Amino acid sequence: MDFSTKSADKKNSLQTIKTDCLAIGIDNNGKPACNETLPDGLAQAIQALYATGDITGKPGTVLLTNAPEGLAAKRLLLVGLGDEKRSSKDARKAIDTLTGALKPINAKNVLVALPKGLVNGNTDETVYTLVTSFYSQTYQPGAFKKKKAPAYKIQKVVLYIPSADTAIVKKALAQAKAINEGRNYAKDLGNLPANICTPSYLAKEALSLAKQYGFTVEVLEKKQIESLKMGSFLSVAKGSDEPPRLIILKHTKGKAKEAPAVLVGKGITFDSGGISLKPGAGMDEMKYDMCGAASVLGTFKAIGEMGLKSNVIGIIPTCENMPSGKANKPGDIVTSMSGQTIEILNTDAEGRLILCDALTYAERFKPDAVVDIATLTGACIIALGHIKSGLFTRDDEAHEALAAALTQAAKSTNDPLWRLPVDDAYQSQLDSNFADMANVGGRPAGSITAACFLERFTKQYTWAHLDVAGTAWTSGKNKGATGRPVPLLCQWLIDRKG
Ligand code: BES
Ligand code: MN
Ligand code: ZN
């Protein structure tokens, strides 16, 4: 889909621009809300349509008609926007209603004349919300089906804006497109089956991203991971015939001295549970256990597209968690790269076992902040459902600031998260009689004890953990990856560069 802008000036009036469909917002009183005084004829035509009562102006209402006399557009789409005090939820509803109304019709291009500050009075958020809505209407999962779902016909979206706003809208548009390209890429990777999306497949993807965008990339194989002494990560990998990979991506467009942001993504390409085997029902969904890794790759695609001027490093430990004669057994003790020993009481708590070594590896980059992203615990779904991702940080000053920045980025991209504690009082649940720690802390506060486990490997830097077990994909009839939390990660990286 192609997005562009047209600025409102003397030669570009809404009445004279040729388009398959002109979309105009109207408020509760039927007044056009589009940053421009409309020509008399058009304003009257809109009033007449409003007077039929077929559109009330409330968010969620929409009216599609043949264009009234004198309009160069073929169709007119009126979109209810409510009044100026609308919530951001109502603003999103209005925009989703607009993009949804275009779905069944035969228009190939649309001219959108919505007011710029529709979402939170903010132009960036308005543009982002509109672009995101078009992307989510048009996303189709991979090409394994002969019979494809009907395609969305709109190819070209033109935003009609006051000429003074051209620069700011163009910038917002470029960012919104980049974020959504990255998000779609993460969805594509997530939706791939585990027989195709293996650890080596993810490594190949990282290599081609690096080539496309000029990142530095390293793919470490088993021998090299062994020399790093990542005993915890390797213990998970050894139950599978698929070899593990440690992927390191570097985007270095910031100043040489600038400490990087590091993203660490859980890349379990299939989680059977191992010897602590999961129940069969719904096990196919454990192909999504690499969505943390996919979100790192998706975020890299986005920052590559944007040419973000900063230093970002991605670390992806990736392997399968399978039962076999070589697999971890409950009670096994392994030594992590940090030197701390771990008693594996449950082989299904494997995410933390691969992440802990990647988090130790992150120390060498002297990071400004490390954020790990993982489909880590079923307990996080019990706590927050499928709405908000879990955010975990310590609560000193530096971590408060990181939590606040991530929360702000989450709000402005509608990729919500909620903070849960990482508190020493929970640490004793991880006590082991035989090793420095156990890999599970019992049922109470399961997602917090998982975070507390990771915390033991992050003492050298400022760190946040995102548990996306409930938000990285949707189950049921609309089963599919969501591409979350790519939007919030991208926005956080954009915001920290000002
Ligand atoms: N990948 C799972 C977590 C998960 C489960 C994500 C369901 C999304 C949906 C993780 O590796 C896991 O199995 N965690 C265990 C930990 C437990 C053994 C302490 C869990 O949550 O049951
Ligand atoms: Mn597991
Ligand atoms: Zn897992």
Side-chain angles (χ1 to χ4, degrees):
M1 186 167 289
D2 175 69
F3 292 89
S4 58
T5 62
K6 213 169 207 114
S7 38
D9 51 34
K10 284 201 190 85
K11 60 181 198 317
N12 282 328
S13 109
L14 282 178
Q15 200 137 2
T16 56
I17 301 176
K18 283 204 178 114
T19 171
D20 288 350
C21 185
L22 167 62
I24 297 184
I26 62 167
D27 68 14
N28 283 330
N29 301 313
K31 285 226 176 65
C34 58
N35 298 322
E36 183 189 281
T37 330
L38 294 183
D40 285 350
L42 183 51
Q44 278 160 10
I46 290 175
Q47 258 311 314
L49 287 166
Y50 177 75
T52 63
D54 291 348
I55 176 164
T56 62
K58 285 211 184 76
T61 64
V62 75
L63 181 69
L64 176 71
T65 71
N66 290 330
E69 191 93 21
L71 200 61
K74 287 190 190 145
R75 303 170 184 80
L76 177 64
L77 182 67
L78 296 181
V79 185
L81 298 182
D83 62 30
E84 267 176 31
K85 277 177 275 159
R86 74 188 74 79
S87 63
S88 49
K89 195 171 141 223
D90 276 345
R92 283 197 300 273
K93 189 169 172 189
I95 287 176
D96 288 342
T97 307
L98 186 173
T99 60
L102 294 170
K103 200 167 189 170
I105 69 174
N106 199 25
K108 294 204 173 45
N109 54 69
V110 59
L111 180 68
V112 182
L114 294 177
K116 51 178 177 164
L118 178 65
V119 185
N120 291 330
N122 180 316
T123 302
D124 286 3
E125 270 188 62
T126 303
V127 171
Y128 170 78
T129 307
L130 187 73
V131 170
T132 303
S133 185
F134 275 110
Y135 267 85
S136 68
Q137 288 285 358
T138 51
Y139 179 78
Q140 290 201 341
F144 295 103
K145 266 180 153 177
K146 270 218 185 98
K147 224 172 154 191
K148 289 230 175 97
Y152 199 81
K153 300 223 177 52
I154 298 282
Q155 305 278 321
K156 207 167 155 9
V157 178
V158 183
L159 302 184
Y160 186 74
I161 54 171
S163 52
D165 291 340
T166 307
I168 155 166
V169 172
K170 282 211 158 128
K171 187 168 171 226
L173 194 53
Q175 281 181 0
K177 282 196 310 193
I179 293 174
N180 278 286
E181 287 296 326
R183 178 183 194 159
N184 274 3
Y185 180 56
K187 286 190 191 184
D188 284 343
L189 290 172
N191 286 330
L192 284 174
N195 61 331
I196 292 173
C197 186
T198 59
S200 2
Y201 184 94
L202 287 179
K204 270 196 213 126
E205 288 293 313
L207 288 168
S208 64
L209 270 187
K211 201 164 169 204
Q212 189 177 355
Y213 296 107
F215 307 136
T216 314
V217 63
E218 265 180 280
V219 174
L220 306 190
E221 305 200 348
K222 189 170 158 233
K223 279 229 168 80
Q224 296 156 290
I225 305 172
E226 277 166 359
S227 19
L228 286 168
K229 299 201 160 67
M230 294 190 166
S232 185
F233 173 24
L234 286 164
S235 79
V236 177
K238 74 191 161 83
S240 165
D241 290 345
E242 285 291 338
R245 294 285 184 264
L246 183 71
I247 304 167
I248 301 115
L249 275 167
K250 293 181 194 160
H251 170 87
T252 46
K253 292 230 162 130
K255 298 210 175 72
K257 274 199 212 132
E258 174 201 303
V262 178
L263 304 176
V264 179
K266 172 178 173 182
I268 295 288
T269 57
F270 191 76
D271 181 12
S272 70
I275 297 298
S276 313
L277 194 65
K278 286 183 181 295
M283 206 205 270
D284 66 287
E285 294 190 9
M286 283 298 119
K287 72 174 185 180
Y288 289 116
D289 213 17
M290 37 56 73
C291 282
S295 76
V296 174
L297 293 173
T299 301
F300 264 79
K301 185 173 181 65
I303 63 177
E305 286 282 333
M306 286 185 261
L308 191 76
K309 295 264 175 298
S310 71
N311 298 333
V312 186
I313 290 174
I315 305 176
I316 297 172
T318 172
C319 67
E320 285 184 338
N321 184 25
M322 297 294 278
S324 86
K326 294 203 179 90
N328 276 331
K329 300 168 289 296
D332 283 1
I333 294 177
V334 298
T335 304
S336 65
M337 183 182 183
S338 72
Q340 300 176 92
T341 57
I342 304 160
E343 184 184 16
I344 301 172
L345 289 175
N346 189 322
T347 67
D348 197 12
E350 85 298 339
R352 59 198 81 179
L353 294 176
I354 72 167
L355 287 169
C356 68
D357 283 340
L359 288 167
T360 300
Y361 188 81
E363 288 173 7
R364 67 186 55 204
F365 301 111
K366 304 203 168 30
D368 173 52
V370 177
V371 178
D372 78 72
I373 309 99
T375 47
L376 201 65
T377 64
C380 193
I381 311 177
I382 303 301
L384 297 173
H386 300 286
I387 312 293
K388 297 191 187 221
S389 308
L391 164 64
F392 301 78
T393 67
R394 289 183 280 259
D395 58 7
D396 55 49
E397 213 173 298
H399 287 87
E400 292 293 340
L402 176 57
L406 287 164
T407 304
Q408 179 52 42
K411 280 204 178 119
S412 59
T413 50
N414 186 32
D415 185 3
L417 43 70
W418 198 257
R419 194 166 170 199
L420 289 157
V422 178
D423 190 307
D424 285 345
Y426 294 90
Q427 286 286 5
S428 59
Q429 284 179 241
L430 296 170
D431 285 350
S432 156
N433 286 353
F434 306 107
D436 295 334
M437 71 196 86
N439 78 327
V440 291
R443 277 170 61 80
S447 52
I448 297 172
T449 53
C452 284
F453 179 97
L454 298 178
E455 193 268 346
R456 297 173 181 226
F457 301 84
T458 61
K459 305 280 193 197
Q460 304 295 326
Y461 46 70
T462 308
W463 156 82
H465 157 60
L466 299 178
D467 193 332
V468 292
T471 53
W473 77 91
T474 314
S475 310
K477 198 171 161 291
N478 292 323
K479 191 188 288 180
T482 62
R484 289 175 66 184
V486 170
L488 89 83
L489 291 172
C490 292
Q491 194 61 50
W492 172 64
L493 291 171
I494 293 169
D495 291 348
R496 62 193 282 285
K497 290 322 293 170

